Amino acid sequence: MHVHLKSVNVLLEKQAAVVVTVGPDRQLDAAAQLLDEQSQGALSAVLAKAGFEGKLGQSLPLYALPHLACEWVLVTGRGPQDELRAAGVIKLIQTVCKALQELGTHQAVLGLHELQVKDMAAADLLGLMARTALETTYQFTTYKTTPSGRSGLRDLSLTVLDKSLMTSARRAVAWAEAIAQGTALARDLGNQPSNVCTPTFLSEQAQLLAKASRKIKVKVLGEAQLEKLGAGAFLAVSRGSEEEGKLVMIEYRGTSSRTAPIALIGKGITFDTGGISIKPSAAMDEMKFDMCGAASVLGVMQTLIAAELPVHVIGVLACAENMPSGRARKPGDIVTSMSGQTVEILNTDAEGRLVLCDALTYVQKQYHPSIMIDIATLTGACVVALGKVTSGLFSGDDALAQDLIDAGRISQDPVWRLPLWNDYQELLDSPCADMANIGGPTAGAITAACFLSRFTQGTRWAHLDIAGTAWVSGAKKGATGRPVPLLAEFLKRQVHA
Ligand code: BES
Ligand code: MN
Ligand code: ZN
């Protein structure tokens, strides 16, 4: 779908659908008023007859109103204008897109130029509308052999009547499109089944990005190379599978300045059975999403390419499949990580931290990044703590944590910080190795972060646990693409910082 900005008053043009907003007590916003006048009061008459309340999330499609050139008028409730917030705009646009898709229209004009959100610039509001529309109309249809119902929206125009706003609005919408593109890539990859999306497949996706942009260089390490590097923790996971594990480095150079890169390290477990500590069957299918951290890294790289952001970023995908097999690690096994630290594997289902710790060591040694951020569907405990609303954030660096919190708020992709205090570290004590890979039944999200922290000494680092936010379950099962918006916003703000 394409999003356009139109400065002319398109409401009188011939259009498939025109979307207008109405507040409480059937208060008509400017675009609605215009249509009402043109239709000689037909619009307000129908709204009164229907008892339309103008509540947020309400919508009413009206067909062929008299004297109007458009086929459909979609009336949408916006609630009280002074109560409208970003979350309300998202809900409004989602309502609109779903209603338009049900009507089967290919084109629509959204006459929403009068809407305002407190503390949000008009251009950013347009960007949010564009991004929400693009994300709402996303579909994963790769494996549907028959098209589902009506074909979707193709063109959406947003009205911008204030011409002085056009330049900043264009910029905001371009940024929104770049984020939506990255998010869509992350969702596509997350939604792929694990029989297609293997570590090798993810490494090929990285190579496709390199083909698409000269700013991207890709390096792939297979198991033989990882063995030479002493990546014993990574290999402890990947060797249990017939699919070869891959450590993939994607370097994006959007600037010629010789600044140290920011590293994003994504957990790429293409399927997590739990290994010998096998998971119960219920909902195990969802463990195909255990590579969503890696997918979000690829998504961010896509956004950087689209937005041509002048930053230096290393994306790392730590890709393996966690399987039970004759070659799989067993509880009690001890392995030596690339850092030299030894790990007693008490539970083979705590595999994400094993692939990530060697990835962190490798990127730290090879690229000397100024900041490392890992992104992982790491713990069920994080889902218990924060649900599916917000990602978990862990960092010993207050400034970095604050930057990520701010980026999350601005991009409507929130994170919530949990403690990473030394008091928790002792839960990882092992009688026979430097540490155990699990910390017992309490504070599971925190002890996982504590484990990773031991492989980040000397570098600014943050960990995002996206176990709750990377996908939705149930009838609408699918990857969300989070936290691509957060990370993209974080990197953009680094440019201006
Ligand atoms: N990929 C899972 C975490 C997960 C579970 C994410 C459910 C989303 C939903 C991770 O590899 C895992 O299995 N973690 C274990 C850790 C435990 C063994 C310490 C968990 O959370 O149960
Ligand atoms: Mn696991
Ligand atoms: Zn996992």
Side-chain angles (χ1 to χ4, degrees), residues 270-291:
T270 57
F271 196 82
D272 182 9
T273 64
I276 298 297
S277 315
I278 200 159
K279 287 183 180 294
S281 311
M284 206 209 268
D285 60 289
E286 294 188 5
M287 282 302 118
K288 72 170 185 174
F289 294 119
D290 211 18
M291 37 56 73

PDB file of all heavy atoms in Angstrom, residues 270-291:
ATOM      1  N   THR A 270      15.789 -20.534  15.420  1.00  0.00           N
ATOM      2  CA  THR A 270      14.749 -20.683  14.394  1.00  0.00           C
ATOM      3  C   THR A 270      13.657 -21.654  14.833  1.00  0.00           C
ATOM      4  O   THR A 270      12.549 -21.626  14.294  1.00  0.00           O
ATOM      5  CB  THR A 270      15.359 -21.127  13.047  1.00  0.00           C
ATOM      6  OG1 THR A 270      16.082 -22.348  13.265  1.00  0.00           O
ATOM      7  CG2 THR A 270      16.284 -20.054  12.507  1.00  0.00           C
ATOM      8  N   PHE A 271      13.973 -22.517  15.791  1.00  0.00           N
ATOM      9  CA  PHE A 271      12.927 -23.248  16.512  1.00  0.00           C
ATOM     10  C   PHE A 271      13.489 -23.686  17.850  1.00  0.00           C
ATOM     11  O   PHE A 271      14.616 -24.177  17.928  1.00  0.00           O
ATOM     12  CB  PHE A 271      12.403 -24.468  15.735  1.00  0.00           C
ATOM     13  CG  PHE A 271      11.097 -24.962  16.306  1.00  0.00           C
ATOM     14  CD1 PHE A 271       9.896 -24.354  15.961  1.00  0.00           C
ATOM     15  CD2 PHE A 271      11.066 -26.001  17.233  1.00  0.00           C
ATOM     16  CE1 PHE A 271       8.686 -24.769  16.516  1.00  0.00           C
ATOM     17  CE2 PHE A 271       9.864 -26.419  17.792  1.00  0.00           C
ATOM     18  CZ  PHE A 271       8.677 -25.807  17.431  1.00  0.00           C
ATOM     19  N   ASP A 272      12.688 -23.503  18.888  1.00  0.00           N
ATOM     20  CA  ASP A 272      13.130 -23.842  20.241  1.00  0.00           C
ATOM     21  C   ASP A 272      12.265 -24.967  20.807  1.00  0.00           C
ATOM     22  O   ASP A 272      11.175 -24.729  21.316  1.00  0.00           O
ATOM     23  CB  ASP A 272      13.054 -22.593  21.142  1.00  0.00           C
ATOM     24  CG  ASP A 272      13.557 -22.871  22.563  1.00  0.00           C
ATOM     25  OD1 ASP A 272      14.117 -23.961  22.790  1.00  0.00           O
ATOM     26  OD2 ASP A 272      13.397 -21.976  23.419  1.00  0.00           O
ATOM     27  N   THR A 273      12.769 -26.194  20.661  1.00  0.00           N
ATOM     28  CA  THR A 273      12.044 -27.325  21.265  1.00  0.00           C
ATOM     29  C   THR A 273      12.314 -27.404  22.764  1.00  0.00           C
ATOM     30  O   THR A 273      11.630 -28.122  23.486  1.00  0.00           O
ATOM     31  CB  THR A 273      12.526 -28.670  20.674  1.00  0.00           C
ATOM     32  OG1 THR A 273      13.911 -28.854  21.022  1.00  0.00           O
ATOM     33  CG2 THR A 273      12.378 -28.709  19.162  1.00  0.00           C
ATOM     34  N   GLY A 274      13.348 -26.695  23.198  1.00  0.00           N
ATOM     35  CA  GLY A 274      13.831 -26.827  24.570  1.00  0.00           C
ATOM     36  C   GLY A 274      15.065 -27.717  24.640  1.00  0.00           C
ATOM     37  O   GLY A 274      15.802 -27.692  25.610  1.00  0.00           O
ATOM     38  N   GLY A 275      15.278 -28.534  23.599  1.00  0.00           N
ATOM     39  CA  GLY A 275      16.398 -29.487  23.629  1.00  0.00           C
ATOM     40  C   GLY A 275      16.051 -30.674  24.517  1.00  0.00           C
ATOM     41  O   GLY A 275      14.879 -31.055  24.616  1.00  0.00           O
ATOM     42  N   ILE A 276      17.056 -31.250  25.170  1.00  0.00           N
ATOM     43  CA  ILE A 276      16.803 -32.411  26.036  1.00  0.00           C
ATOM     44  C   ILE A 276      15.845 -32.018  27.174  1.00  0.00           C
ATOM     45  O   ILE A 276      14.980 -32.796  27.566  1.00  0.00           O
ATOM     46  CB  ILE A 276      18.133 -32.962  26.606  1.00  0.00           C
ATOM     47  CG1 ILE A 276      19.031 -33.447  25.467  1.00  0.00           C
ATOM     48  CG2 ILE A 276      17.879 -34.095  27.611  1.00  0.00           C
ATOM     49  CD1 ILE A 276      18.491 -34.590  24.643  1.00  0.00           C
ATOM     50  N   SER A 277      15.943 -30.786  27.673  1.00  0.00           N
ATOM     51  CA  SER A 277      14.957 -30.265  28.637  1.00  0.00           C
ATOM     52  C   SER A 277      13.733 -29.832  27.822  1.00  0.00           C
ATOM     53  O   SER A 277      13.385 -28.652  27.768  1.00  0.00           O
ATOM     54  CB  SER A 277      15.516 -29.070  29.396  1.00  0.00           C
ATOM     55  OG  SER A 277      16.834 -29.295  29.841  1.00  0.00           O
ATOM     56  N   ILE A 278      13.088 -30.828  27.209  1.00  0.00           N
ATOM     57  CA  ILE A 278      12.106 -30.511  26.156  1.00  0.00           C
ATOM     58  C   ILE A 278      10.869 -29.790  26.688  1.00  0.00           C
ATOM     59  O   ILE A 278      10.440 -30.017  27.824  1.00  0.00           O
ATOM     60  CB  ILE A 278      11.732 -31.816  25.396  1.00  0.00           C
ATOM     61  CG1 ILE A 278      11.122 -31.491  24.032  1.00  0.00           C
ATOM     62  CG2 ILE A 278      10.810 -32.691  26.238  1.00  0.00           C
ATOM     63  CD1 ILE A 278      11.202 -32.662  23.054  1.00  0.00           C
ATOM     64  N   LYS A 279      10.320 -28.924  25.852  1.00  0.00           N
ATOM     65  CA  LYS A 279       9.134 -28.144  26.221  1.00  0.00           C
ATOM     66  C   LYS A 279       7.888 -29.004  26.110  1.00  0.00           C
ATOM     67  O   LYS A 279       7.863 -29.961  25.335  1.00  0.00           O
ATOM     68  CB  LYS A 279       8.978 -26.955  25.251  1.00  0.00           C
ATOM     69  CG  LYS A 279       9.979 -25.843  25.452  1.00  0.00           C
ATOM     70  CD  LYS A 279       9.699 -24.694  24.495  1.00  0.00           C
ATOM     71  CE  LYS A 279      10.690 -23.560  24.680  1.00  0.00           C
ATOM     72  NZ  LYS A 279      10.594 -22.891  25.984  1.00  0.00           N
ATOM     73  N   PRO A 280       6.828 -28.656  26.846  1.00  0.00           N
ATOM     74  CA  PRO A 280       5.538 -29.321  26.630  1.00  0.00           C
ATOM     75  C   PRO A 280       4.991 -29.000  25.233  1.00  0.00           C
ATOM     76  O   PRO A 280       5.386 -28.004  24.632  1.00  0.00           O
ATOM     77  CB  PRO A 280       4.631 -28.744  27.720  1.00  0.00           C
ATOM     78  CG  PRO A 280       5.367 -27.609  28.349  1.00  0.00           C
ATOM     79  CD  PRO A 280       6.784 -27.636  27.887  1.00  0.00           C
ATOM     80  N   SER A 281       4.100 -29.835  24.718  1.00  0.00           N
ATOM     81  CA  SER A 281       3.621 -29.659  23.335  1.00  0.00           C
ATOM     82  C   SER A 281       2.750 -28.423  23.134  1.00  0.00           C
ATOM     83  O   SER A 281       2.754 -27.839  22.053  1.00  0.00           O
ATOM     84  CB  SER A 281       2.798 -30.871  22.893  1.00  0.00           C
ATOM     85  OG  SER A 281       3.476 -32.048  23.174  1.00  0.00           O
ATOM     86  N   ALA A 282       1.968 -28.064  24.156  1.00  0.00           N
ATOM     87  CA  ALA A 282       0.998 -26.972  23.979  1.00  0.00           C
ATOM     88  C   ALA A 282       1.701 -25.698  23.516  1.00  0.00           C
ATOM     89  O   ALA A 282       2.653 -25.254  24.148  1.00  0.00           O
ATOM     90  CB  ALA A 282       0.257 -26.723  25.295  1.00  0.00           C
ATOM     91  N   ALA A 283       1.215 -25.187  22.393  1.00  0.00           N
ATOM     92  CA  ALA A 283       1.722 -23.918  21.837  1.00  0.00           C
ATOM     93  C   ALA A 283       3.200 -23.974  21.455  1.00  0.00           C
ATOM     94  O   ALA A 283       3.836 -22.935  21.291  1.00  0.00           O
ATOM     95  CB  ALA A 283       1.469 -22.750  22.790  1.00  0.00           C
ATOM     96  N   MET A 284       3.744 -25.175  21.322  1.00  0.00           N
ATOM     97  CA  MET A 284       5.169 -25.239  20.952  1.00  0.00           C
ATOM     98  C   MET A 284       5.389 -24.656  19.547  1.00  0.00           C
ATOM     99  O   MET A 284       6.480 -24.166  19.239  1.00  0.00           O
ATOM    100  CB  MET A 284       5.718 -26.665  21.014  1.00  0.00           C
ATOM    101  CG  MET A 284       7.232 -26.674  21.273  1.00  0.00           C
ATOM    102  SD  MET A 284       8.104 -28.062  20.601  1.00  0.00           S
ATOM    103  CE  MET A 284       8.089 -29.196  21.948  1.00  0.00           C
ATOM    104  N   ASP A 285       4.330 -24.692  18.718  1.00  0.00           N
ATOM    105  CA  ASP A 285       4.440 -24.093  17.380  1.00  0.00           C
ATOM    106  C   ASP A 285       4.939 -22.644  17.450  1.00  0.00           C
ATOM    107  O   ASP A 285       5.624 -22.165  16.550  1.00  0.00           O
ATOM    108  CB  ASP A 285       3.087 -24.136  16.669  1.00  0.00           C
ATOM    109  CG  ASP A 285       2.022 -23.373  17.447  1.00  0.00           C
ATOM    110  OD1 ASP A 285       1.608 -23.866  18.516  1.00  0.00           O
ATOM    111  OD2 ASP A 285       1.619 -22.276  17.008  1.00  0.00           O
ATOM    112  N   GLU A 286       4.579 -21.966  18.537  1.00  0.00           N
ATOM    113  CA  GLU A 286       4.961 -20.550  18.644  1.00  0.00           C
ATOM    114  C   GLU A 286       6.471 -20.377  18.796  1.00  0.00           C
ATOM    115  O   GLU A 286       6.977 -19.263  18.656  1.00  0.00           O
ATOM    116  CB  GLU A 286       4.223 -19.883  19.814  1.00  0.00           C
ATOM    117  CG  GLU A 286       2.725 -19.820  19.566  1.00  0.00           C
ATOM    118  CD  GLU A 286       1.955 -19.006  20.603  1.00  0.00           C
ATOM    119  OE1 GLU A 286       2.588 -18.404  21.476  1.00  0.00           O
ATOM    120  OE2 GLU A 286       0.716 -18.996  20.525  1.00  0.00           O
ATOM    121  N   MET A 287       7.158 -21.452  19.065  1.00  0.00           N
ATOM    122  CA  MET A 287       8.615 -21.340  19.205  1.00  0.00           C
ATOM    123  C   MET A 287       9.329 -21.161  17.859  1.00  0.00           C
ATOM    124  O   MET A 287      10.539 -21.028  17.795  1.00  0.00           O
ATOM    125  CB  MET A 287       9.162 -22.525  19.992  1.00  0.00           C
ATOM    126  CG  MET A 287       8.929 -22.374  21.492  1.00  0.00           C
ATOM    127  SD  MET A 287       9.694 -20.864  22.146  1.00  0.00           S
ATOM    128  CE  MET A 287       8.279 -19.954  22.739  1.00  0.00           C
ATOM    129  N   LYS A 288       8.532 -21.134  16.760  1.00  0.00           N
ATOM    130  CA  LYS A 288       9.133 -20.696  15.495  1.00  0.00           C
ATOM    131  C   LYS A 288       9.464 -19.195  15.576  1.00  0.00           C
ATOM    132  O   LYS A 288      10.271 -18.692  14.805  1.00  0.00           O
ATOM    133  CB  LYS A 288       8.182 -20.948  14.319  1.00  0.00           C
ATOM    134  CG  LYS A 288       6.982 -20.012  14.266  1.00  0.00           C
ATOM    135  CD  LYS A 288       6.202 -20.142  12.955  1.00  0.00           C
ATOM    136  CE  LYS A 288       5.086 -19.110  12.865  1.00  0.00           C
ATOM    137  NZ  LYS A 288       4.398 -19.103  11.586  1.00  0.00           N
ATOM    138  N   PHE A 289       8.802 -18.497  16.515  1.00  0.00           N
ATOM    139  CA  PHE A 289       9.039 -17.053  16.669  1.00  0.00           C
ATOM    140  C   PHE A 289      10.287 -16.750  17.505  1.00  0.00           C
ATOM    141  O   PHE A 289      10.560 -15.591  17.796  1.00  0.00           O
ATOM    142  CB  PHE A 289       7.841 -16.383  17.352  1.00  0.00           C
ATOM    143  CG  PHE A 289       6.576 -16.391  16.546  1.00  0.00           C
ATOM    144  CD1 PHE A 289       5.434 -17.030  17.009  1.00  0.00           C
ATOM    145  CD2 PHE A 289       6.513 -15.721  15.331  1.00  0.00           C
ATOM    146  CE1 PHE A 289       4.257 -17.023  16.279  1.00  0.00           C
ATOM    147  CE2 PHE A 289       5.336 -15.709  14.595  1.00  0.00           C
ATOM    148  CZ  PHE A 289       4.206 -16.358  15.059  1.00  0.00           C
ATOM    149  N   ASP A 290      11.016 -17.804  17.879  1.00  0.00           N
ATOM    150  CA  ASP A 290      12.147 -17.576  18.786  1.00  0.00           C
ATOM    151  C   ASP A 290      13.341 -16.929  18.072  1.00  0.00           C
ATOM    152  O   ASP A 290      14.382 -16.709  18.678  1.00  0.00           O
ATOM    153  CB  ASP A 290      12.547 -18.903  19.454  1.00  0.00           C
ATOM    154  CG  ASP A 290      13.118 -18.719  20.848  1.00  0.00           C
ATOM    155  OD1 ASP A 290      12.895 -17.644  21.444  1.00  0.00           O
ATOM    156  OD2 ASP A 290      13.789 -19.645  21.338  1.00  0.00           O
ATOM    157  N   MET A 291      13.147 -16.620  16.801  1.00  0.00           N
ATOM    158  CA  MET A 291      14.183 -15.896  16.046  1.00  0.00           C
ATOM    159  C   MET A 291      13.776 -14.443  15.805  1.00  0.00           C
ATOM    160  O   MET A 291      14.375 -13.750  14.981  1.00  0.00           O
ATOM    161  CB  MET A 291      14.494 -16.582  14.703  1.00  0.00           C
ATOM    162  CG  MET A 291      13.344 -17.214  13.955  1.00  0.00           C
ATOM    163  SD  MET A 291      11.994 -16.085  13.609  1.00  0.00           S
ATOM    164  CE  MET A 291      12.785 -15.110  12.329  1.00  0.00           C
TER     165      MET A 291
END
